[in-house]
Amino acid sequence: MPAITAENPLALPRVDVPAAETAARPVLAVTTAPSGFEGEGFPVRRAFAGIGYEYLDPFIMMDQMGEVEYAPGEPKGTPWHPHRGFETVTYLLDGSFVHQDSAGGGGVINDGDTQWMTAGSGLLHIEAPPEELVVSGGLFHGLQLWVNLPARDKMADPRYQDIGGGRVKLLSSADGGALLRLIAGDLAGHSGPGVTHTPITMIHATVSPGAEVTLPWRPDFNALAYVLAGRGTVGAERRPIHLGQTAVFGAGSSLTVRADEKQDSHTPDLEVVLLGGQPIREPMAHYGPFVMNTHAELAQAFDDFRAGRLGRVPAVRA
């Protein structure tokens, strides 16, 4: 799980521990992601399964893709499919993925890169491993997050952001025990490169064995922590958490994550994704690849898709 790293976290800007009187967010629940398959058959963990939308808003779903070691000929992707009304965020830890959409966007993302696609009014897109990865096989591991759009932005023009890993803001916890990759949003006066319609914060943290990190957190945001690898605890109450589990935090102005002294043999550190967002608090109608506000808007999205108004699959060039 290389993502983007730093040889000496102590040389990075540090995030100070919040003042003692800062209200710590309690842990409301820890859930375990069920496993499934997506697209053409690649394995995923459904990170938000079983969590009420009132705790997720503005996030809709998140899949951990892999971690899987493909044999030659095995790598898989997704066929052409539509989206409308939200944003997809694909964060790749290992491997490569190629994106193409009917609006002309696309590109290749590799270790540590993020592909941020605002579907808005709608488009078709496809994600697939590059030909060389299909031929050789290899490690594939990543995340895909869906972020809702408020009603005023659901029909915005589609937008594509290719956020190379080198653009991610690297920070350190106060004592250097945690490396923080700020992908989007703000943290203690630092900003990530992702441009969002909905105010959110997205961080990939690597916490060394035995280390603890307490971060300031906007009180008007929700707060979630998903474990990509390793084991540790969350909250001041040190609630146990491990690979494939999500912690839901309650109200407050700071959150705490701690790595166990001993990690799994193939996982030297605790790897955790921290998410926060300003709830939209609007009705949501979600079915398949469309996320709208009403059932009538959902029906219109399907009609537009069938009529080709969300775009056409580009012709394959010889």
Side-chain angles (χ1 to χ4, degrees), residues 233-252:
T233 62
V234 286
E237 61 269 48
R238 294 193 174 183
R239 183 90 170 261
I241 193 168
H242 58 73
L243 167 64
Q245 291 190 316
T246 301
V248 180
F249 292 88

Side-chain angles (χ1 to χ4, degrees), residues 82-169:
H83 285 309
R84 172 180 278 181
F86 65 102
E87 299 182 291
T88 67
V89 182
T90 305
Y91 175 51
L92 206 61
L93 295 158
D94 298 284
S96 297
F97 231 24
V98 179
H99 165 87
Q100 183 183 7
D101 65 48
S102 57
V108 181
I109 55 172
N110 300 293
D111 304 345
D113 296 345
T114 302
Q115 170 203 102
W116 203 296
M117 186 184 78
T118 303
S121 60
L123 44 63
L124 310 180
H125 85 136
I126 185 173
E127 293 167 307
E131 184 177 353
E132 57 269 24
L133 182 63
V134 176
V135 171
S136 67
L139 188 61
F140 178 74
H141 190 197
L143 280 178
Q144 184 165 101
L145 171 70
W146 288 15
V147 185
N148 201 4
L149 288 169
R152 66 178 182 273
D153 294 325
K154 283 194 177 294
M155 297 301 286
D157 291 339
R159 179 177 66 187
Y160 178 82
Q161 299 175 68
D162 186 3
I163 305 172
R167 295 177 55 204
V168 169
K169 183 66 176 180

